[in-house]
């Protein structure tokens, strides 16, 4: 900083522009607050960077990625494909404790993972918020469904969700656009699922089956997770950031990698230190309030790395809970195979939404919390039909004309079922800072400690049996059941490391995401969630973030943020 | 997010591979073949392709094998789709693949010479089939050695990858995607939820 220059102080600094940050930015800017947003990567230009409408032969490695680069990539995750460029980080900026496997794809582009998300959008219900009271494990959320419901309704209106009213005890209904239609294999599996007593229903999907709030309807091209050129599903760059920018209250700094929170001599937040990705220079930006919404582990890394006289173990960590309670979804192919009914039938456009059309919402432990050998419950995503690539080829033996014909005959038939199993919080699962390793910007790396627990592995066994039963009851042939689930982190649904709660000794933030210790520091991403539930997190991140933003505005206006006393309620 | 593009991720997971280096000049023969789709079987000989990684004899053997795996029958096969060129590109970028393909091709050729006293390429179709069947069918035949089986598996996988990502391959499947629809396509068999009364299979 040049001596004598008055330093600019923004009302609010927001780190991150994904579901959490995007909602904060929009809400605050529209309320008239001056916001500086930091984003670790660049802005994408959908017309240039999204190549979702290309056929496989129009990209050099046909969508399989350059083999030479694949080895260096973190994950082999679909988003990091030839259909979208420069959005996903190639550097591995985390370490794992001995015995931990963890896959952590990070999207650094403006809008984060909302550019490429799965769009599945079931909301949390009281069975989730009050799970601890029901089954005796861990603690309840500091909020109820009734409290969250109005925010869920507002986000549904903003985003546009296609689904149906389903009256499921674990799945509160909302206000919906028309659902996606079921395809042949959906209807076959639905009959089979009914026989086994498993629900098979339209998913809640944040994808527009008709024009909504000025956003165009989906054109069903089917390459959604490569990014949508026209913005027919929710992402912050299409849905939230334009209205924030229109207010003139937003300054968005791209390629700004947040390093730590700056504090004053009372330990209150004064701004953020960040590294410019291109120059590697360290810079500072100042604000009256700081909101961290960099995604669960990234936010935790920033807070843990913010050590000072006041905060020797990381800012806002007087509870010692910062980094604890890491939860994830256990994903795995519980069953896959094919439906002989459809052998040799004409091809059909089954893959018009890159999955998410149907789901099998939680059906376990609904009437009594201890019906099963595990507590809580999981859901399953079925998928199948005519996809671009016949990945079932390795289930067919031989070569020659018979092999080629069998690939063609099987084309409409494959189905698979992917689990979404919540892990319970465990003392073994947490994030701390690696004492040695630093990333290429000199920032100490987070270190991940994680193991699947008994409860989730029991669900996994249960799911494999139930899904195979559904497939067989549908007249299908089961030809693959995964022995092992996917690597932890695969779902990209990590949550919990800045847990919210009413007790400042046992949680990092209050029920709005304001940290207990530092009244002008907020967390607005999935790290505040108390547990992971069987639902995907993005839609609830938007909802909690909307609520946090309005609370923040209220606090800002009454200036209670300037005292260190924590005001709740 | 993410959790859901199962098949697509399946594809990507297949490829756990190490680094190599080369630049690739393009899909020469394939680009040529592409221009003639829909005009019936083309008689024009494609211009010579210069492999990036493989030697000329290796490439000729590879090309022959891909065509045996996915032959021209009622529809065009791997050769017309330029599959060997795609494999040459992928292999040129990865040292482990290079080792596997080179070793495998040599192994197969030696086996042919050992058994029939002629190279695989000059062996009769019956002999070629007899060489490949033990590698392709696990149950019908006694184990033919791990190396041969693994090579054939990789070869077949890359042949499938190369074929079904061309216009020829997607036409073969009648791939219905990447088109624009005004509403989400719905199952047309309204009164037959279990799909027990469908018209007889087309194939």
């Amino acid at each position: 900083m040049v001596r004598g220059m008055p330093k600019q102080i923004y009302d609010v600094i927001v780190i991150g522009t994904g579901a959490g940050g995007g909602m904060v930015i929009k809400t605050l800017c529209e309320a008239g607050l001056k916001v500086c947003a930091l984003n670790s990567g660049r802005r994408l230009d959908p017309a240039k960077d999204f190549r979702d409408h290309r056929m496989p032969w129009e990209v050099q490695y046909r969508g399989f990625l350059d083999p030479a680069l694949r080895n260096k990539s973190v994950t082999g995750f679909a988003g990091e494909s030839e259909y979208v460029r420069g959005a996903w980080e190639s550097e591995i900026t985390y370490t794992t404790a001995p015995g931990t496997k963890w896959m952590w794809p990070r999207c650094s582009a403006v809008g984060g993972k909302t550019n490429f998300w799965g769009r599945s959008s079931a909301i949390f219900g009281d069975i989730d918020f009050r799970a601890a009271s029901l089954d005796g494990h861990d603690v309840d959320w500091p909020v109820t469904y009734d409290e969250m419901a109005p925010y869920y309704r507002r986000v549904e209106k903003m985003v546009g969700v296609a689904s149906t009213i389903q009256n499921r005890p674990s799945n509160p209904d909302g206000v919906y656009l028309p659902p996606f239609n079921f395809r042949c294999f959906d209807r076959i599996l639905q009959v089979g699922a009914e026989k086994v007593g498993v629900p098979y229903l339209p998913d809640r999907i944040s994808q527009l089956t008709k024009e909504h709030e000025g956003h165009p309807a989906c054109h069903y091209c089917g390459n959604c997770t490569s990014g949508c050129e026209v913005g027919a599903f929710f992402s912050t760059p299409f849905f939230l950031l334009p209205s924030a920018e229109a207010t003139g209250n937003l300054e968005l700094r791209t390629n700004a990698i947040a390093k730590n929170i700056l504090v004053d001599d009372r330990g209150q937040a004064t701004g953020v230190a960040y590294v410019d990705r291109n120059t590697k220079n360290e810079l500072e930006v100042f604000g009256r309030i700081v909101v961290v919404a960099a995604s669960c582990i990234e936010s935790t890394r920033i807070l843990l790395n913010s050590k000072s006289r006041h905060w020797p173990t990381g800012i806002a960590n007087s509870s010692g809970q910062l980094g604890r309670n890491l939860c994830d979804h256990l994903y795995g192919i519980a069953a896959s195979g094919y439906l002989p009914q459809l052998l040799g039938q004409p091809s059909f456009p089954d893959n018009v939404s890159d999955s998410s059309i149907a789901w099998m919402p939680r059906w376990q432990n609904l009437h009594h919390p201890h019906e099963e050998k595990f507590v809580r419950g999981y859901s399953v995503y079925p998928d199948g039909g005519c996809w671009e690539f016949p990945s079932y080829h390795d289930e067919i033996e031989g070569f020659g004309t018979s092999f080629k014909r069998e690939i063609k005959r099987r084309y409409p038939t494959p189905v698979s079922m992917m689990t979404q199993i919540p892990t319970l919080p465990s003392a073994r699962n947490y994030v701390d800072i690696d004492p040695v390793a630093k990333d290429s910007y000199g920032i100490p790396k987070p270190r991940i400690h994680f193991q699947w627990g008994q409860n989730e592995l029991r669900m996994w066994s249960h799911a494999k049996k139930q899904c195979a039963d559904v497939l067989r009851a549908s007249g299908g042939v089961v030809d693959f059941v995964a022995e092992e689930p996917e690597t932890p982190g695969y779902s990209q649904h990590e949550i919990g490391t800045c847990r919210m709660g009413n007790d400042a000794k046992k949680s990092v933030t209050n029920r709005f995401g304001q940290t207990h210790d530092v009244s002008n520091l907020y967390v607005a991403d999935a790290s505040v969630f108390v547990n992971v539930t069987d639902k995907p997190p993005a839609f609830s991140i938007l909802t909690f973030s909307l609520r946090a933003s309005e609370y923040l505005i209220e606090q800002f206006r009454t200036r209670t943020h300037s005292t260190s006393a924590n005001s709740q309620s | 997010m993410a959790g859901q593009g199962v098949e697509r991720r399946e594809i990507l997971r297949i490829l756990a591979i190490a680094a190599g280096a080369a630049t690739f000049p393009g899909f020469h023969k394939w680009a040529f073949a592409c221009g003639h789709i829909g005009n019936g079987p083309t008689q024009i000989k494609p211009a010579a392709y210069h492999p990036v990684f493989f030697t000329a004899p290796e490439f000729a053997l590879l090309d022959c094998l891909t065509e045996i795996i996915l032959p021209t029958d009622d529809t065009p096969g791997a050769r017309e789709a330029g599959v060997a060129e795609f494999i040459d590109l992928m292999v040129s970028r990865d040292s482990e693949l290079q080792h596997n393909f080179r070793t495998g091709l040599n192994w197969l050729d030696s086996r042919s010479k050992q058994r029939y006293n002629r190279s695989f390429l000059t062996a009769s179709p019956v002999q070629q089939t007899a060489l490949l069947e033990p590698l392709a069918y696990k149950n019908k035949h006694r184990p033919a050695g791990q190396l041969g089986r693994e090579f054939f598996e990789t070869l077949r996988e890359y042949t499938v990858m190369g074929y079904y990502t061309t216009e020829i391959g997607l036409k073969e499947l009648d791939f219905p995607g990447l088109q624009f629809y005004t509403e989400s396509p719905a199952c047309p068999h309204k009164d037959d939820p279990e799909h027990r009364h469908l018209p007889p299979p087309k194939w």
Side-chain angles (χ1 to χ4, degrees):
Chain A
M1 174 132 284
V2 180
R3 191 174 287 274
M5 287 271 284
K7 72 179 182 189
Q8 184 175 3
I9 300 179
Y10 294 87
D11 290 333
V12 182
I13 311 296
V14 181
I15 305 172
T17 59
M23 182 62 88
V24 173
I25 292 165
K26 173 199 189 288
T27 313
L28 301 189
C29 286
E30 286 182 348
L33 276 63
K34 297 285 180 194
V35 173
C36 178
L38 304 179
N39 191 79
S40 67
R42 67 184 181 99
R43 262 181 206 264
L44 297 173
D45 174 356
K48 214 167 67 197
D49 297 318
F50 294 174
R51 304 155 61 133
D52 50 314
H53 289 157
R54 297 193 188 202
M55 299 302 277
W57 59 84
E58 294 173 305
V59 293
Q60 193 175 8
Y61 300 96
R62 316 263 182 98
F64 295 104
L65 295 185
D66 179 353
L69 292 182
R70 267 195 58 81
N71 187 44
K72 294 181 198 155
S73 84
V74 185
T75 61
F77 163 64
E80 190 183 339
S81 78
E82 296 173 74
Y83 296 95
V84 52
R85 291 216 166 134
W88 295 84
E89 290 283 1
S90 54
E91 183 179 350
I92 299 173
T93 57
Y94 62 102
T95 63
T96 48
T100 292
K101 285 184 182 170
W102 186 269
M103 174 195 258
W104 188 29
R106 296 175 310 134
C107 182
S108 56
V110 171
K113 289 178 280 189
T114 67
N115 286 296
F116 312 112
W117 66 309
R119 310 166 313 288
S120 182
S121 299
I123 63 179
F124 302 168
D126 265 333
I127 197 168
D128 303 305
F129 294 133
R130 297 185 54 251
S133 293
L134 294 171
D135 61 32
H137 285 265
D138 201 32
V139 293
D140 283 340
W141 292 57
V143 296
T144 62
Y145 178 69
D146 284 346
E147 210 174 332
M148 296 309 297
Y151 297 95
Y152 275 125
R153 295 298 87 76
R154 287 167 62 195
V155 175
E156 279 157 8
K157 184 159 166 37
M158 254 184 249
V159 164
V161 183
S163 192
T164 55
I165 301 299
Q166 299 173 354
N167 295 309
R168 300 282 312 165
S170 175
N171 299 93
D173 288 306
V175 178
Y176 299 120
L177 304 177
F180 276 69
N181 291 311
F182 270 7
R183 301 145 295 184
C184 297
F185 74 83
D186 288 317
R187 299 187 65 215
I188 296 171
L189 289 176
Q190 190 173 33
V191 175
E194 269 165 22
K195 288 181 190 160
V196 179
V198 169
Y200 190 106
L201 295 163
D203 194 5
R204 327 292 204 185
I205 169 168
S206 293
Q207 188 161 337
L208 305 181
T209 45
K210 56 187 224 187
E211 196 184 313
H212 181 75
E213 305 277 313
H215 300 282
C218 179
H219 53 271
Y220 309 102
C221 77
N223 264 355
C224 316
T225 52
S226 297
C228 182
E229 276 182 46
V230 300
F233 67 75
F234 172 83
S235 66
T236 63
F238 273 103
F239 280 64
L240 300 180
L241 298 179
S243 50
E245 295 198 297
T247 64
N249 291 327
L250 174 63
E251 184 188 329
L252 173 56
R253 299 190 187 176
T254 56
N255 293 314
I257 300 168
K259 191 176 171 202
N260 57 273
I261 309 298
L262 301 166
V263 293
D264 63 15
D265 53 12
R266 295 175 303 139
Q268 288 285 104
T270 59
V272 179
Y274 66 94
V275 179
D276 183 297
R277 180 186 290 268
N278 299 320
T279 64
K280 297 206 174 179
N281 288 335
E282 190 169 324
L283 302 164
E284 294 179 340
V285 59
F286 301 95
R288 294 179 178 86
I289 294 179
V290 174
V291 180
V292 185
S295 87
C296 177
I297 297 173
E298 207 72 299
S299 290
T300 307
R301 187 263 301 169
I302 294 165
L303 298 180
L304 285 169
N305 275 333
S306 302
K307 290 180 187 167
S308 61
R309 182 166 54 85
H310 296 276
W311 312 115
T313 64
I315 195 167
N317 191 25
S318 69
S319 64
Q321 290 297 305
L322 181 58
R324 298 270 152 192
N325 310 305
L326 175 65
C327 294
D328 186 30
H329 276 146
L330 182 150
Y331 269 50
I333 299 174
S336 76
Y338 65 98
L339 298 169
Q341 300 93 313
L342 298 175
L343 278 170
Q345 292 297 318
S347 71
F348 186 80
D350 294 309
N351 175 25
V352 291
S353 92
D354 218 347
S355 61
S356 293
I357 287 179
W359 83 328
M360 293 146 71
R362 173 175 166 183
W363 64 91
Q364 322 86 29
N365 289 331
L366 293 181
H367 306 295
H368 187 279
H370 298 288
E371 282 162 27
E372 303 287 353
K373 293 192 179 100
F374 50 83
V375 294
R376 308 198 183 171
Y378 64 88
S379 53
V380 170
Y381 291 109
D383 209 347
C386 301
W387 279 62
E388 190 180 274
F389 186 74
S391 11
Y392 52 85
H393 66 88
D394 52 5
E395 301 295 341
I396 304 166
E397 279 203 312
F399 57 90
T401 291
S402 62
F403 177 56
K404 195 174 156 196
R405 190 179 58 235
E406 193 57 21
I407 286 184
K408 191 171 173 65
R409 267 164 46 81
R410 278 233 207 162
Y411 191 49
T413 69
V415 285
S416 68
M417 298 184 212
M418 186 73 136
T419 60
Q420 183 161 275
I421 295 174
T423 70
L424 285 179
S426 152
R428 293 189 305 178
N429 296 342
Y430 62 98
V431 176
D432 62 4
I433 297 295
D434 191 293
V436 182
K438 292 182 177 180
D439 67 18
S440 61
Y441 306 97
I443 301 172
K445 291 182 179 184
R447 178 172 59 183
I448 294 156
H449 307 250
F450 191 89
Q451 305 289 330
W452 300 128
Q454 277 305 314
N455 197 61
E456 42 267 26
L457 291 172
R458 285 190 187 128
M459 287 196 212
W460 170 238
S461 302
H462 188 265
K464 289 200 279 191
K465 184 177 178 310
Q466 291 261 284
C467 291
D469 287 349
V470 168
L471 188 42
R472 288 191 199 102
S474 310
V477 175
V478 178
D479 58 19
F480 179 76
V481 173
E483 285 287 313
E484 298 290 323
E486 302 290 347
T487 308
Y490 178 91
S491 69
Q492 300 172 61
H493 289 173
E494 65 277 7
I495 66 106
T497 48
C498 304
R499 160 179 284 209
M500 60 164 54
N502 289 327
D503 185 345
K505 292 194 183 68
K506 291 180 179 165
S507 55
V508 178
T509 81
N510 69 12
R511 58 209 199 87
F512 296 98
Q514 180 185 33
T515 62
H516 287 299
D517 295 341
V518 182
S519 61
N520 68 343
L521 177 64
Y522 288 72
V523 184
D525 56 30
S527 62
V528 300
F529 289 178
V530 175
N531 54 47
V532 68
T533 85
D534 65 302
K535 289 100 184 174
F539 199 85
S540 290
I541 297 174
L542 288 167
T543 307
F544 276 78
S545 179
L546 172 62
R547 181 165 166 276
S549 306
E550 293 186 345
Y551 173 82
L552 184 156
I553 293 164
E554 200 183 297
Q555 299 290 299
F556 183 82
R557 295 213 165 118
T558 56
R559 303 203 171 267
T560 52
H561 65 274
S562 61
T563 72
S564 58
N566 174 41
S567 63
Q568 274 181 31
S569 77
Chain B
M1 120 122 268
Q4 300 139 38
V6 179
E7 321 268 301
R8 187 170 286 266
R9 267 191 308 283
E10 276 303 301
I11 305 166
L12 294 168
R13 195 166 42 195
I14 288 164
L15 309 162
I17 21 192
T23 31
F24 184 73
F27 294 105
H28 188 227
K29 189 200 285 184
W30 178 79
F32 178 88
C34 167
H36 292 82
I37 285 183
N39 298 341
T42 166
Q43 299 301 314
I44 308 165
K45 287 269 181 249
Y49 170 76
H50 300 289
V52 179
F53 169 72
F54 292 108
T55 64
E58 283 169 345
F59 187 80
L61 175 55
L62 176 68
D63 189 47
C64 164
L65 287 166
T66 63
E67 180 67 16
I68 291 172
I69 291 168
L70 292 173
T72 303
D73 38 34
D74 302 341
T75 56
R79 179 167 289 145
E80 192 168 333
V83 169
E85 291 180 30
F86 168 76
I87 296 176
D88 184 44
L89 165 71
M90 296 304 269
V91 171
S92 76
R93 302 291 291 163
D94 176 69
S95 56
E96 195 182 328
L97 275 179
Q98 288 171 10
H99 174 78
N100 293 347
F101 268 90
R102 182 152 279 164
T103 316
L105 290 171
N106 285 334
W107 177 85
L108 186 62
D109 219 25
S110 316
R111 202 166 170 83
S112 178
K113 285 170 186 157
Q114 203 178 52
R115 256 172 89 172
Y116 303 116
N117 214 11
R118 51 212 308 197
S119 72
F120 188 92
L121 270 179
T122 54
S124 71
V126 174
Q127 289 170 333
Q128 289 176 338
T129 305
L131 283 163
L132 294 179
E133 281 206 321
L135 311 182
Y137 295 93
K138 292 192 178 80
N139 299 327
K140 271 201 259 171
H141 294 268
R142 291 158 58 87
Q146 240 357 66
L147 190 142
R149 284 234 165 127
E150 278 170 16
F151 166 64
F152 187 79
E153 205 170 296
T154 310
L155 169 71
R156 203 185 73 156
E157 182 170 340
Y158 276 79
T159 303
V160 168
M161 283 163 58
Y163 181 77
Y164 292 102
T165 50
T166 58
E167 196 165 352
I168 287 175
L170 290 190
K171 198 173 163 183
E172 158 77 9
L173 293 174
D174 199 13
F175 169 61
L178 268 185
Q179 296 178 29
F180 300 162
Y181 299 90
T182 50
E183 63 179 284
S184 85
C187 163
H189 314 101
K190 288 259 179 300
D191 305 322
D192 188 11
E194 293 185 70
H195 292 65
R196 285 170 186 267
H197 311 289
L198 296 179
K202 274 176 85 177
W203 297 283

